[in-house]
């Protein structure tokens, strides 16, 4: 697969975004093995913009690893400075599985319980499940089942 071509302005933006990142993958003395390449691919899928540290003193071999990663993983070369390589690839869109039978999940709610005058109110963290509701008094009750219409249930 060919590597992604970026304009100098896009490359500058990605370089600025990568400035604070730490290396995600480290390539050791064995060089670019299939396992390392798989990890770089997984990191690109998860983060999009990554730094890779290459341990080795030979600049030509680091340059060759950089080009090989970009070509085989369809990534854009952003920066090669010292022993750090910066790669970018757009994060693929994840398909959302839609389940019609899924119920609402739990919610965390903060409730203030007031005591005597002059004291600070007590803050309680409550977890309300999908089939529960929070009353005005701050207690949790189970939600009542929805009533079905008499007219819709009747068949003539």
């Amino acid at each position: 697969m060919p590597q992604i071509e970026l304009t100098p302005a896009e490359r500058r933006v990605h370089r600025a975004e990568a400035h604070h990142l730490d290396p995600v993958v480290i390539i050791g003395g064995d060089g670019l093995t299939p396992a390392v390449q798989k990890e770089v691919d997984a990191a690109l899928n998860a983060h999009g913009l990554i730094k890779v540290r290459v341990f080795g003193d030979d600049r030509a071999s680091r340059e060759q690893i950089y080009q090989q990663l970009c070509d085989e993983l369809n990534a854009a070369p952003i920066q090669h400075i010292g022993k750090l390589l910066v790669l970018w690839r757009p994060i693929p869109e994840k398909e959302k599985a839609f389940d019609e039978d899924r119920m609402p999940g739990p919610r965390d709610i903060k409730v203030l319980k007031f005591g005597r005058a002059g004291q600070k109110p007590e803050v309680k963290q409550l977890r309300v499940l999908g089939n529960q509701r929070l009353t005005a008094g701050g207690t949790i009750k189970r939600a009542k089942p929805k009533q079905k219409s008499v007219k819709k249930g009747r068949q003539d």
Side-chain angles (χ1 to χ4, degrees), residues 149-156:
S149 172
V150 178
K151 294 180 180 178
K152 288 184 180 177
R154 185 175 43 158
Q155 294 179 356
D156 293 313

Side-chain angles (χ1 to χ4, degrees), residues 54-67:
V54 181
F55 287 125
D57 294 329
D58 187 20
R59 181 167 174 78
S61 67
R62 287 195 307 262
E63 192 68 41
Q64 190 259 340
I65 288 172
Y66 190 44
Q67 289 303 319

Side-chain angles (χ1 to χ4, degrees), residues 3-148:
Q3 63 187 20
I4 299 173
E5 295 295 327
L6 295 177
T7 63
E10 291 171 329
R11 186 168 280 117
R12 183 172 53 244
V13 168
H14 290 304
R15 254 195 334 259
E17 290 173 354
H19 180 71
H20 73 281
L21 296 179
D22 293 325
V24 177
V25 179
I26 297 173
I27 300 175
D30 292 340
L32 187 62
T33 61
V36 171
Q37 193 165 343
K38 184 177 175 184
E39 285 299 316
V40 171
D41 188 38
L44 282 170
N45 284 337
H47 304 289
L49 182 68
I50 64 167
K51 276 186 184 178
V52 178
R53 181 176 298 278
V54 181
F55 287 125
D57 294 329
D58 187 20
R59 181 167 174 78
S61 67
R62 287 195 307 262
E63 192 68 41
Q64 190 259 340
I65 288 172
Y66 190 44
Q67 289 303 319
Q68 187 177 352
L69 282 173
C70 291
D71 290 337
E72 293 181 9
L73 299 179
N74 193 21
I78 301 298
Q79 186 177 27
H80 173 202
I81 184 162
K83 295 183 180 184
L84 285 176
L85 313 175
V86 181
L87 303 170
W88 176 80
R89 182 172 68 190
I91 300 174
E93 291 290 326
K94 295 179 183 175
E95 293 182 21
K96 282 196 167 184
F98 183 71
D99 187 11
E100 294 178 6
D101 298 332
R102 185 171 178 167
M103 301 298 284
R107 300 179 311 272
D108 290 328
I109 298 174
K110 288 184 181 177
V111 177
L112 290 176
K113 292 271 188 172
F114 293 98
R116 285 184 263 153
Q119 287 185 334
K120 288 185 177 180
E122 180 184 348
V123 179
K124 287 180 105 179
Q125 185 84 14
L126 298 175
R127 176 162 284 193
V128 179
L129 302 177
N131 62 343
Q132 297 173 337
R133 65 185 174 87
L134 189 66
T135 64
T139 59
I140 297 176
K141 289 194 175 181
R142 289 193 102 145
K144 295 178 182 171
K146 293 182 181 178
Q147 292 190 355
K148 296 184 179 178

